[in-house]
Amino acid sequence: MAAMWTAGTVEQLRTERSAMKGSVAFVPTMGALHRGHLALVHAARQAADHIIVSIFVNPAQFAPDEDYESYPRQIEADLAACREAAVDGVFCPPVEQMYPPNIPECTINVPSMAHVLEGEIRPTHFAGVCRVVAKLLNMVRPDVAVFGQKDYQQLKIIEAMVADLAMPVRIVGMPTCREEDGLAMSSRNAYLDTPQRQHARGLYKALLEAKRLVEEDGETDPEAVETAMEQVMMAHHVEPQYAVIRHPHTLAELDCIEPALTGGVVALIAGHLGETRLIDNMLLAEAG
Ligand code: AMP
């Protein structure tokens, strides 16, 4: 098998991409790769002949007071993990390659979904995500792009962007990979100290409580489930930022939980452990 290539410029990427025969699956990441990312790579392998991974900590999706500077960066270990996973090539551009200073900026907005939940707390976040994902898709020209349900709202927004702008790519969403105690894998888990790491399991426990209430007790009142999730988070010293039940496709609020009508519901939560902010979600009462 050919050695894995790395490309640091758009030009190098385009040259490598043009030489690839067969279908290509793309996995965009911000690096600090963990088992969750590698599960996306595995799905990519099932979906196409070749795999391209990008590693780019995207400044456009961080607000000035967020963790752009301190976000974990470990490019050599990430490249080794990609090589090990038989990735064909890695695109790891510097910021000036993605955002050349002389090009006027474009904005992509998905107004129905980008300003609630994460978008309410991080008002510029999804514009930054859509901009970088659209650019990466145009640069890589994949047949398939793989994203994690871990970032559920992001996945729904990207699906909407690709559908409405008729982008020629198939989006695949993969289930969340978890640690043994249920904590969703995240590059940001590295920020947690030992007691916080213990407490962080409260996020998953809150989602399991929502699942129990909806699927076993048949609870139909979203507020009752939301309150229960907050209580579980607080009992584990996780300070809730939101804990909500929403429509699984539109993220709209629901008056009543009626899984048969909506094809299930999604529970979405965000909370703080000290300075560290974690998010998680779970699909409940899915059909089928
Ligand atoms: P990030 O590097 O955090 O931007 O994530 C890159 C991709 O990996 C996104 O599509 C994420 O949703 C996905 N991802 C992150 N954590 C997980 C996880 N625990 N399980 C599955 N996918 C994940």
Side-chain angles (χ1 to χ4, degrees):
M1 203 171 58
M4 185 180 87
W5 52 260
T6 61
T9 67
V10 178
E11 199 184 331
Q12 283 167 349
L13 169 69
R14 290 200 197 278
T15 305
E16 295 289 357
R17 173 67 181 93
S18 299
M20 289 173 114
K21 307 265 182 286
S23 57
V24 170
F26 175 46
V27 182
T29 81
M30 297 206 299
L33 300 183
H34 51 64
R35 199 150 47 74
H37 295 115
L38 296 176
L40 304 189
V41 170
H42 185 72
R45 189 173 304 115
Q46 312 300 312
D49 302 321
H50 301 288
I51 308 168
I52 298 179
V53 169
S54 66
I55 298 176
F56 179 62
V57 185
N58 174 33
Q61 70 190 69
F62 290 80
D65 61 339
E66 292 181 349
D67 57 343
Y68 174 69
E69 296 296 339
S70 57
Y71 196 84
R73 288 167 174 84
Q74 45 167 63
I75 189 69
E76 289 310 323
D78 288 348
L79 292 178
C82 287
R83 232 172 255 119
E84 173 86 0
V87 167
D88 293 72
V90 177
F91 179 46
C92 40
V95 172
E96 317 80 72
Q97 279 292 314
M98 290 305 289
Y99 301 114
N102 49 347
I103 299 182
E105 173 176 337
C106 284
T107 304
I108 299 175
N109 186 13
V110 183
S112 63
M113 281 189 280
H115 307 298
V116 297
L117 304 171
E118 288 301 289
E120 197 174 331
I121 292 158
R122 310 177 70 191
T124 57
H125 177 65
F126 287 118
V129 169
C130 286
R131 186 165 169 225
V132 82
V133 172
K135 286 173 79 106
L136 287 167
L137 291 175
N138 284 336
M139 291 167 180
V140 174
R141 289 182 293 111
D143 301 279
V144 178
V146 189
F147 292 85
Q149 287 173 4
K150 159 74 173 41
D151 300 285
Y152 191 86
Q153 186 174 5
Q154 167 176 288
L155 174 62
K156 293 296 130 186
I157 287 172
I158 288 168
E159 285 173 350
M161 173 183 81
V162 163
D164 191 39
L165 300 184
M167 294 180 165
V169 61
R170 181 163 70 88
I171 301 298
V172 170
M174 291 301 294
T176 302
C177 281
R178 299 181 178 281
E179 303 284 357
E180 231 165 70
D181 66 353
L183 176 65
M185 293 192 165
S186 163
S187 308
R188 290 192 168 98
N189 292 350
Y191 299 153
L192 301 172
D193 65 22
T194 307
Q196 288 171 340
R197 174 62 192 81
Q198 290 289 319
H199 295 148
R201 69 177 66 176
L203 290 152
Y204 183 59
K205 290 248 172 94
L207 294 170
L208 286 184
E209 177 63 3
K211 186 177 172 66
R212 190 189 67 74
L213 285 168
V214 171
E215 295 185 2
E216 291 176 30
D217 291 6
E219 178 60 64
T220 57
D221 178 7
E223 259 185 56
V225 181
E226 292 170 359
T227 305
M229 287 195 289
E230 283 191 5
Q231 281 170 353
V232 175
M233 288 165 82
M234 288 188 294
H236 288 81
H237 308 279
V238 181
E239 190 191 321
Q241 209 167 28
Y242 61 76
V244 297
I245 297 292
R246 293 290 169 101
H247 189 290
H249 306 309
T250 65
L251 302 180
E253 288 179 27
L254 299 168
D255 293 331
C256 183
I257 298 174
E258 291 171 287
L261 275 188
T262 56
V265 295
V266 60
L268 300 132
I269 58 179
H272 276 105
L273 291 124
E275 296 284 288
T276 302
R277 181 173 183 277
L278 298 180
I279 59 171
D280 202 350
N281 68 81
M282 191 178 279
L283 283 162
L284 313 177
E286 275 181 286

PDB file of all heavy atoms in Angstrom, residues 28-31 34 36-37 40 71 146-148 150-151 154 175-177 184-185, ligand 1:
ATOM      1  N   PRO A  28     -13.345  15.180   8.630  1.00  0.00           N
ATOM      2  CA  PRO A  28     -12.765  16.421   9.154  1.00  0.00           C
ATOM      3  C   PRO A  28     -12.646  16.383  10.670  1.00  0.00           C
ATOM      4  O   PRO A  28     -13.587  15.957  11.361  1.00  0.00           O
ATOM      5  CB  PRO A  28     -13.769  17.514   8.733  1.00  0.00           C
ATOM      6  CG  PRO A  28     -14.989  16.827   8.266  1.00  0.00           C
ATOM      7  CD  PRO A  28     -14.750  15.348   8.214  1.00  0.00           C
ATOM      8  N   THR A  29     -11.500  16.818  11.204  1.00  0.00           N
ATOM      9  CA  THR A  29     -11.295  16.836  12.661  1.00  0.00           C
ATOM     10  C   THR A  29     -10.481  18.070  13.055  1.00  0.00           C
ATOM     11  O   THR A  29      -9.883  18.723  12.201  1.00  0.00           O
ATOM     12  CB  THR A  29     -10.501  15.602  13.164  1.00  0.00           C
ATOM     13  OG1 THR A  29      -9.089  15.837  12.936  1.00  0.00           O
ATOM     14  CG2 THR A  29     -10.898  14.322  12.473  1.00  0.00           C
ATOM     15  N   MET A  30     -10.451  18.295  14.367  1.00  0.00           N
ATOM     16  CA  MET A  30      -9.560  19.328  14.909  1.00  0.00           C
ATOM     17  C   MET A  30      -8.358  18.676  15.598  1.00  0.00           C
ATOM     18  O   MET A  30      -7.653  19.329  16.373  1.00  0.00           O
ATOM     19  CB  MET A  30     -10.311  20.236  15.877  1.00  0.00           C
ATOM     20  CG  MET A  30     -11.445  21.001  15.164  1.00  0.00           C
ATOM     21  SD  MET A  30     -11.888  22.546  15.954  1.00  0.00           S
ATOM     22  CE  MET A  30     -12.406  21.982  17.559  1.00  0.00           C
ATOM     23  N   GLY A  31      -8.136  17.382  15.323  1.00  0.00           N
ATOM     24  CA  GLY A  31      -6.968  16.713  15.885  1.00  0.00           C
ATOM     25  C   GLY A  31      -7.162  16.287  17.324  1.00  0.00           C
ATOM     26  O   GLY A  31      -8.284  16.213  17.812  1.00  0.00           O
ATOM     27  N   HIS A  34      -8.867  10.684  19.106  1.00  0.00           N
ATOM     28  CA  HIS A  34      -9.171   9.639  20.087  1.00  0.00           C
ATOM     29  C   HIS A  34      -9.996   8.561  19.380  1.00  0.00           C
ATOM     30  O   HIS A  34     -10.249   8.643  18.171  1.00  0.00           O
ATOM     31  CB  HIS A  34      -9.895  10.229  21.302  1.00  0.00           C
ATOM     32  CG  HIS A  34     -11.085  11.079  20.949  1.00  0.00           C
ATOM     33  ND1 HIS A  34     -12.208  10.592  20.326  1.00  0.00           N
ATOM     34  CD2 HIS A  34     -11.304  12.416  21.092  1.00  0.00           C
ATOM     35  CE1 HIS A  34     -13.074  11.557  20.141  1.00  0.00           C
ATOM     36  NE2 HIS A  34     -12.554  12.692  20.581  1.00  0.00           N
ATOM     37  N   GLY A  36     -13.069   7.963  19.258  1.00  0.00           N
ATOM     38  CA  GLY A  36     -14.253   8.451  18.554  1.00  0.00           C
ATOM     39  C   GLY A  36     -13.919   8.858  17.131  1.00  0.00           C
ATOM     40  O   GLY A  36     -14.619   8.490  16.170  1.00  0.00           O
ATOM     41  N   HIS A  37     -12.816   9.612  16.975  1.00  0.00           N
ATOM     42  CA  HIS A  37     -12.394   9.993  15.627  1.00  0.00           C
ATOM     43  C   HIS A  37     -12.064   8.751  14.795  1.00  0.00           C
ATOM     44  O   HIS A  37     -12.392   8.666  13.616  1.00  0.00           O
ATOM     45  CB  HIS A  37     -11.129  10.867  15.688  1.00  0.00           C
ATOM     46  CG  HIS A  37     -11.312  12.195  16.364  1.00  0.00           C
ATOM     47  ND1 HIS A  37     -10.680  12.522  17.540  1.00  0.00           N
ATOM     48  CD2 HIS A  37     -12.040  13.282  16.027  1.00  0.00           C
ATOM     49  CE1 HIS A  37     -10.992  13.753  17.887  1.00  0.00           C
ATOM     50  NE2 HIS A  37     -11.824  14.241  16.998  1.00  0.00           N
ATOM     51  N   LEU A  40     -14.851   7.064  13.203  1.00  0.00           N
ATOM     52  CA  LEU A  40     -15.284   7.736  11.969  1.00  0.00           C
ATOM     53  C   LEU A  40     -14.397   7.281  10.798  1.00  0.00           C
ATOM     54  O   LEU A  40     -14.879   7.068   9.684  1.00  0.00           O
ATOM     55  CB  LEU A  40     -15.213   9.257  12.101  1.00  0.00           C
ATOM     56  CG  LEU A  40     -15.965   9.942  13.249  1.00  0.00           C
ATOM     57  CD1 LEU A  40     -15.938  11.450  13.051  1.00  0.00           C
ATOM     58  CD2 LEU A  40     -17.393   9.463  13.359  1.00  0.00           C
ATOM     59  N   TYR A  71      -6.429  24.707  23.035  1.00  0.00           N
ATOM     60  CA  TYR A  71      -6.979  23.452  22.500  1.00  0.00           C
ATOM     61  C   TYR A  71      -5.828  22.464  22.251  1.00  0.00           C
ATOM     62  O   TYR A  71      -4.788  22.848  21.707  1.00  0.00           O
ATOM     63  CB  TYR A  71      -7.740  23.727  21.196  1.00  0.00           C
ATOM     64  CG  TYR A  71      -8.637  22.587  20.797  1.00  0.00           C
ATOM     65  CD1 TYR A  71      -9.914  22.466  21.329  1.00  0.00           C
ATOM     66  CD2 TYR A  71      -8.196  21.605  19.918  1.00  0.00           C
ATOM     67  CE1 TYR A  71     -10.734  21.402  20.983  1.00  0.00           C
ATOM     68  CE2 TYR A  71      -9.008  20.528  19.571  1.00  0.00           C
ATOM     69  CZ  TYR A  71     -10.273  20.441  20.108  1.00  0.00           C
ATOM     70  OH  TYR A  71     -11.072  19.374  19.781  1.00  0.00           O
ATOM     71  N   VAL A 146     -17.836  12.004   6.828  1.00  0.00           N
ATOM     72  CA  VAL A 146     -18.307  11.323   8.034  1.00  0.00           C
ATOM     73  C   VAL A 146     -18.186  12.259   9.239  1.00  0.00           C
ATOM     74  O   VAL A 146     -17.121  12.846   9.468  1.00  0.00           O
ATOM     75  CB  VAL A 146     -17.485  10.033   8.297  1.00  0.00           C
ATOM     76  CG1 VAL A 146     -18.117   9.218   9.415  1.00  0.00           C
ATOM     77  CG2 VAL A 146     -17.375   9.188   7.032  1.00  0.00           C
ATOM     78  N   PHE A 147     -19.282  12.361   9.983  1.00  0.00           N
ATOM     79  CA  PHE A 147     -19.331  13.225  11.174  1.00  0.00           C
ATOM     80  C   PHE A 147     -19.887  12.425  12.348  1.00  0.00           C
ATOM     81  O   PHE A 147     -20.588  11.428  12.162  1.00  0.00           O
ATOM     82  CB  PHE A 147     -20.246  14.433  10.917  1.00  0.00           C
ATOM     83  CG  PHE A 147     -19.706  15.393   9.897  1.00  0.00           C
ATOM     84  CD1 PHE A 147     -19.913  15.180   8.542  1.00  0.00           C
ATOM     85  CD2 PHE A 147     -18.960  16.493  10.284  1.00  0.00           C
ATOM     86  CE1 PHE A 147     -19.403  16.053   7.585  1.00  0.00           C
ATOM     87  CE2 PHE A 147     -18.441  17.373   9.341  1.00  0.00           C
ATOM     88  CZ  PHE A 147     -18.662  17.149   7.992  1.00  0.00           C
ATOM     89  N   GLY A 148     -19.605  12.884  13.574  1.00  0.00           N
ATOM     90  CA  GLY A 148     -20.080  12.196  14.774  1.00  0.00           C
ATOM     91  C   GLY A 148     -21.390  12.780  15.279  1.00  0.00           C
ATOM     92  O   GLY A 148     -21.597  13.990  15.243  1.00  0.00           O
ATOM     93  N   LYS A 150     -21.922  12.857  18.271  1.00  0.00           N
ATOM     94  CA  LYS A 150     -21.490  13.528  19.491  1.00  0.00           C
ATOM     95  C   LYS A 150     -21.822  15.021  19.421  1.00  0.00           C
ATOM     96  O   LYS A 150     -22.228  15.634  20.394  1.00  0.00           O
ATOM     97  CB  LYS A 150     -19.980  13.308  19.668  1.00  0.00           C
ATOM     98  CG  LYS A 150     -19.249  14.275  20.560  1.00  0.00           C
ATOM     99  CD  LYS A 150     -19.569  14.010  22.000  1.00  0.00           C
ATOM    100  CE  LYS A 150     -18.759  14.826  22.978  1.00  0.00           C
ATOM    101  NZ  LYS A 150     -18.523  16.201  22.661  1.00  0.00           N
ATOM    102  N   ASP A 151     -21.590  15.598  18.223  1.00  0.00           N
ATOM    103  CA  ASP A 151     -21.934  17.003  17.998  1.00  0.00           C
ATOM    104  C   ASP A 151     -23.235  17.016  17.185  1.00  0.00           C
ATOM    105  O   ASP A 151     -23.240  17.286  15.989  1.00  0.00           O
ATOM    106  CB  ASP A 151     -20.791  17.696  17.264  1.00  0.00           C
ATOM    107  CG  ASP A 151     -19.509  17.636  18.085  1.00  0.00           C
ATOM    108  OD1 ASP A 151     -19.403  18.377  19.063  1.00  0.00           O
ATOM    109  OD2 ASP A 151     -18.638  16.791  17.786  1.00  0.00           O
ATOM    110  N   GLN A 154     -24.433  20.151  15.330  1.00  0.00           N
ATOM    111  CA  GLN A 154     -23.518  20.372  14.202  1.00  0.00           C
ATOM    112  C   GLN A 154     -23.863  19.433  13.037  1.00  0.00           C
ATOM    113  O   GLN A 154     -23.927  19.862  11.877  1.00  0.00           O
ATOM    114  CB  GLN A 154     -22.083  20.122  14.665  1.00  0.00           C
ATOM    115  CG  GLN A 154     -21.062  20.021  13.546  1.00  0.00           C
ATOM    116  CD  GLN A 154     -19.652  19.865  14.091  1.00  0.00           C
ATOM    117  OE1 GLN A 154     -19.080  20.806  14.620  1.00  0.00           O
ATOM    118  NE2 GLN A 154     -19.076  18.686  13.975  1.00  0.00           N
ATOM    119  N   PRO A 175     -22.546   6.981  15.505  1.00  0.00           N
ATOM    120  CA  PRO A 175     -22.862   7.039  16.938  1.00  0.00           C
ATOM    121  C   PRO A 175     -21.669   7.505  17.786  1.00  0.00           C
ATOM    122  O   PRO A 175     -20.515   7.354  17.389  1.00  0.00           O
ATOM    123  CB  PRO A 175     -23.216   5.601  17.303  1.00  0.00           C
ATOM    124  CG  PRO A 175     -23.442   4.896  16.023  1.00  0.00           C
ATOM    125  CD  PRO A 175     -22.694   5.639  14.957  1.00  0.00           C
ATOM    126  N   THR A 176     -21.981   8.016  18.958  1.00  0.00           N
ATOM    127  CA  THR A 176     -20.967   8.539  19.872  1.00  0.00           C
ATOM    128  C   THR A 176     -20.178   7.412  20.529  1.00  0.00           C
ATOM    129  O   THR A 176     -20.765   6.472  21.076  1.00  0.00           O
ATOM    130  CB  THR A 176     -21.666   9.377  20.964  1.00  0.00           C
ATOM    131  OG1 THR A 176     -22.383  10.414  20.306  1.00  0.00           O
ATOM    132  CG2 THR A 176     -20.672   9.966  21.955  1.00  0.00           C
ATOM    133  N   CYS A 177     -18.852   7.517  20.496  1.00  0.00           N
ATOM    134  CA  CYS A 177     -17.989   6.563  21.219  1.00  0.00           C
ATOM    135  C   CYS A 177     -17.817   7.049  22.645  1.00  0.00           C
ATOM    136  O   CYS A 177     -17.559   8.237  22.866  1.00  0.00           O
ATOM    137  CB  CYS A 177     -16.612   6.488  20.584  1.00  0.00           C
ATOM    138  SG  CYS A 177     -16.576   5.490  19.142  1.00  0.00           S
ATOM    139  N   ALA A 184     -18.760  10.590  27.018  1.00  0.00           N
ATOM    140  CA  ALA A 184     -18.489  10.689  25.583  1.00  0.00           C
ATOM    141  C   ALA A 184     -17.046  11.106  25.381  1.00  0.00           C
ATOM    142  O   ALA A 184     -16.559  12.039  26.037  1.00  0.00           O
ATOM    143  CB  ALA A 184     -19.426  11.710  24.955  1.00  0.00           C
ATOM    144  N   MET A 185     -16.345  10.419  24.476  1.00  0.00           N
ATOM    145  CA  MET A 185     -14.954  10.803  24.203  1.00  0.00           C
ATOM    146  C   MET A 185     -14.918  12.181  23.592  1.00  0.00           C
ATOM    147  O   MET A 185     -15.753  12.517  22.746  1.00  0.00           O
ATOM    148  CB  MET A 185     -14.325   9.802  23.264  1.00  0.00           C
ATOM    149  CG  MET A 185     -14.183   8.485  23.934  1.00  0.00           C
ATOM    150  SD  MET A 185     -13.146   7.419  22.974  1.00  0.00           S
ATOM    151  CE  MET A 185     -12.826   6.192  24.196  1.00  0.00           C
TER     152      MET A 185
HETATM  153  P1  AMP B   1     -13.576  17.440  16.585  1.00  0.00           P
HETATM  154  O1  AMP B   1     -12.156  17.040  16.368  1.00  0.00           O
HETATM  155  O2  AMP B   1     -13.990  17.501  18.022  1.00  0.00           O
HETATM  156  O3  AMP B   1     -13.982  18.646  15.783  1.00  0.00           O
HETATM  157  O4  AMP B   1     -14.443  16.249  15.994  1.00  0.00           O
HETATM  158  C1  AMP B   1     -14.264  15.787  14.674  1.00  0.00           C
HETATM  159  C2  AMP B   1     -15.365  14.809  14.356  1.00  0.00           C
HETATM  160  O5  AMP B   1     -15.318  13.723  15.287  1.00  0.00           O
HETATM  161  C3  AMP B   1     -16.772  15.431  14.487  1.00  0.00           C
HETATM  162  O6  AMP B   1     -17.593  14.934  13.441  1.00  0.00           O
HETATM  163  C4  AMP B   1     -17.211  14.939  15.832  1.00  0.00           C
HETATM  164  O7  AMP B   1     -18.616  14.868  15.964  1.00  0.00           O
HETATM  165  C5  AMP B   1     -16.588  13.553  15.871  1.00  0.00           C
HETATM  166  N1  AMP B   1     -16.454  13.072  17.246  1.00  0.00           N
HETATM  167  C6  AMP B   1     -15.894  13.717  18.300  1.00  0.00           C
HETATM  168  N2  AMP B   1     -16.010  12.971  19.421  1.00  0.00           N
HETATM  169  C7  AMP B   1     -16.656  11.834  19.057  1.00  0.00           C
HETATM  170  C8  AMP B   1     -17.097  10.653  19.773  1.00  0.00           C
HETATM  171  N3  AMP B   1     -16.889  10.510  21.081  1.00  0.00           N
HETATM  172  N4  AMP B   1     -17.719   9.693  19.074  1.00  0.00           N
HETATM  173  C9  AMP B   1     -17.954   9.826  17.741  1.00  0.00           C
HETATM  174  N5  AMP B   1     -17.582  10.899  17.021  1.00  0.00           N
HETATM  175  C10 AMP B   1     -16.940  11.895  17.668  1.00  0.00           C
END
